[in-house]
Every structure is written in structure tokens, then in C-alpha cells.
Amino acid sequence: MTQTASTQHGGPAELDMDGLSRILFGHAAFQYLNAACELGLPDLVAEKQELTRDEIRDALSLQDRAVDILLLGCTSLGILVKQDGRYRLAGVIKDLMDEGDWQRFVDTVAFEQYIVYEGQLDFTDSLRENRNVGLRRVRGSGRDLYHRLAENPHLEQVFYRYMRSWSELANKHLVQELDLSGRRHLLDCGGGDAVNAIALAQANPDLKVTVFEIPASGSIAEKKIAQAGVGDQVSVITGDMFADPLPTGCDVVMFAHQLVIWTPEENTELLRRAYDVLPEGGQLVIFNSMSNDEGDGPVVAALDSVYFAALPAEGGMIYSWATHERCLRDAGFSTVKRIPFPGWTPHGVIVATK
């Protein structure tokens, strides 16, 4: 059996030819996954539990050749399991469905297909030039991906669905693990559509939360806050966190999925700005994906770093825990605590105290 994750000692498994072939044709493997999601194949099989090839063909309105290609790929890759002429879902997909995370996974697939896929064609040049060359493939004049989304309505919808889903895959652990007892006011810098702000407000009824976002994202956040019915707890202030003063009056500042976008030097500057607005004893929270200090994984962190290298802004990757901790100390924070999260995504939290 091919090892794909790690050896028993925790390091990366040695690559064999089967694993190398999966990397070589990885782009094609992803297209099978995306096609299955877009065609609704996993949902169809989940509803019926088991289906024949002809039943799948008819239900998806596909021709014979097309369904044979789809089933060849999905079965070879393990998305489906074939037994006695009938197809059922892989256990891992059934588990995602049972846990209520399948649609979040599908939203992530759409993000990779419509936002990441084309831009990563420039990954090599992005490494050579140490900048996000792939941004040229996104229409618009904004200085980064986030300032171009408003000019691309379909991409904007895909992006915010993904960011909400990616956060929801881990923010249940954020709510459980982040102790905000005794805290009064949290500033969510770059809080997107307020998915994390809403979750934290609902879990901490006495907490006020301010989302600080660029105007294009701020209007989206305001709609989500109203829909969630937490307008008495959560508010939005628009601005540029690099150029404009950070809102004051908070005793917690959180950067969620922000410090993977920028260079360590830019991250240190943001953390210094947060340090300046926090009172003594105030907390700084970093919530995003993390890579190992050894630089050898996890593999999801490595693969996700292609996006950050090629597309969103001039810097960024899935940094190691130690890199974030170094930036925190350079910004003036002394007490630092790591909180890794369980699950297949490499999320975690670092909490620092002023």
C-alpha cells in the first residue's frame, strides 16, 4: 500500500512510483473531483446508497462514453467504491456528509477550480520573481486579489462561499478553544464576511466584536451580521489595516486567515499596530492554517501555499508556528501559546498577551 502522509516516526513518507504518478497527473485527479461535485455525483450516490453504472448515467443525463470516463476516474481515485457492479461512496466522503461538512468541502473545491486553478499556472514564475505573478489572470485593476473581487461577481461569490466554509471547518474549534471569558471587545482585523465574528459573538453573549474590513468586504459582512441577528453585538468599520488607524477600545485583536497573505515583515508591522491599540494584558489571536516548524508538512499546508505564492498579494504562504511566534515577539509580545486544532485542515490558534 502506498504511504501518502507520514512514516511511523512522523516525517514524510518516501515517494514511490504510484505516488509520483499521482503528483504528475494531479491536475487531472482534481478535475475528476471537481466534475463529480459539479455534476452532483456524490450527493446522488449518497441518496441512493448504491447505484449501477446505467442508473448513474441516466440520473446525471450523461452519454455512455462520458459516464465511463467519470466512473473510471472516480473509482480509480477512490472517490467511489465499486463492488458487484454497483457504486457506493468512499467512507471519507460519507463521513464528511454525516458530519455536515460536505458542502463546505464542495465550496473549497469550487474555490480551487475557479480562483486558484488558472493563477497557479504562474507558480514557477511567482517563485522566480518572489511575487504573485498569477494575479495577472484575474481581471481588474486592484492591487491584490481582494481589491479585484468586486470587479468579478462570480469569483467574488465563489471566494466568500469558500472563505466562510474554510473558516467553518475550523471555527468550531476556535469557539471551543479560545477562552474569551472576561474579555469585553474583540477587533477582527480583515474579518471577511464576519463568519468568525458571528461565531464568537454567539458563543460569548457579553462580547462586543468589531469587524475591520475594506469597503467592498464590509458591506458583505454587514448583510451576514443582519442575517445572523447579532447586530447588537457585532459591528463593521471599514478601512485599510495597513494605512488607516486600527479602531481602539478593544482588549482582543484577532487576525483570522490574514497572516498567511503577507510577508513576515508585513505581518510584524500589523502585529505592532495591534500591540499599540491593546491595553496591558490585552490579547492577540492568530487564527489560520499553520505548517510544521520542521518545514516538512502537513501536505495540505504545502499545497495551499501554491495559492498564496501565485495569486492574492505580493507575499504569503502557510507559515510555520515558529514564524508567527517570531513576528509576535518582534512586535513586542512576550507570552505566546500554541493551540493546534484536530481535523484534516491544518488550522490552529496562537494567543499572545501584551
Side-chain angles (χ1 to χ4, degrees), residues 8-276:
Q8 64 182 23
H9 301 294
E14 185 173 347
L15 189 67
D16 63 10
M17 196 61 221
D18 182 58
L20 183 60
S21 298
R22 286 174 178 265
I23 296 172
L24 174 62
F25 294 104
H27 59 291
F30 172 78
Q31 288 304 322
Y32 276 114
L33 176 62
N34 181 68
C37 291
E38 291 196 348
L39 291 168
L41 176 59
D43 298 285
L44 171 68
V45 178
E47 180 184 358
K48 303 296 184 181
Q49 296 190 14
E50 289 187 347
L51 287 170
T52 66
R53 174 258 196 195
D54 290 353
E55 288 171 337
I56 292 171
R57 177 199 61 196
D58 295 343
L60 299 183
S61 300
L62 295 176
Q63 299 297 313
D64 284 331
R65 171 183 160 275
V67 78
D68 287 341
I69 292 171
L70 179 65
L71 293 178
L72 171 64
C74 288
T75 307
S76 299
L77 292 167
I79 297 170
L80 296 178
V81 177
K82 184 180 181 182
Q83 187 174 15
D84 298 328
R86 303 183 70 83
Y87 296 86
R88 59 178 173 83
L89 278 180
V92 67
I93 295 179
K94 189 175 184 302
D95 289 344
L96 285 169
M97 290 182 170
D98 291 344
E99 293 162 8
D101 283 336
W102 175 244
Q103 186 56 51
R104 298 182 179 108
F105 185 89
V106 171
D107 292 340
T108 304
V109 172
F111 171 78
E112 294 294 322
Q113 172 74 0
Y114 291 104
I115 293 181
V116 181
Y117 215 84
E118 186 176 5
Q120 69 185 358
L121 293 173
D122 295 314
F123 178 53
T124 303
D125 285 342
S126 296
L127 295 178
R128 286 186 176 125
E129 299 182 28
N130 198 32
R131 66 181 185 87
N132 54 329
V133 178
L135 183 64
R136 66 185 179 181
R137 299 180 184 273
V138 180
R139 181 178 60 85
S141 57
R143 69 176 185 265
D144 53 42
L145 173 66
Y146 312 103
H147 286 84
R148 295 190 185 188
L149 288 173
E151 301 176 65
N152 298 271
H154 176 248
L155 294 188
E156 184 178 54
Q157 292 174 6
V158 169
F159 178 84
Y160 282 108
R161 277 200 304 267
Y162 156 73
M163 280 306 305
R164 172 164 286 269
S165 291
W166 189 244
S167 289
E168 287 174 343
L169 285 168
N171 70 11
K172 56 189 175 184
H173 303 299
L174 175 70
V175 168
Q176 293 167 358
E177 300 291 342
L178 182 60
D179 182 8
L180 293 173
S181 56
R183 298 295 173 177
R184 299 176 294 99
H185 191 169
L186 183 145
L187 176 64
D188 185 2
C189 283
D193 71 351
V195 57
N196 298 308
I198 292 168
L200 290 173
Q202 290 172 334
N204 299 274
D206 296 327
L207 183 71
K208 297 291 185 182
V209 184
T210 297
V211 175
F212 190 52
E213 254 295 359
I214 59 175
S217 301
S219 59
I220 296 172
E222 287 173 341
K223 292 177 183 176
K224 294 295 185 181
I225 291 165
Q227 290 171 2
V230 291
D232 57 333
Q233 273 184 273
V234 186
S235 59
V236 177
I237 296 177
T238 58
D240 185 322
M241 61 185 171
F242 283 104
D244 298 321
L246 296 187
T248 58
C250 55
D251 55 357
V252 184
V253 176
M254 181 173 71
F255 291 96
H257 302 293
Q258 282 296 311
L259 303 189
V260 291
I261 301 171
W262 321 107
T263 66
E265 294 75 19
E266 289 171 315
N267 288 344
T268 301
E269 174 59 25
L270 288 174
L271 293 171
R272 283 197 186 105
R273 291 167 67 83
Y275 185 91
D276 289 342

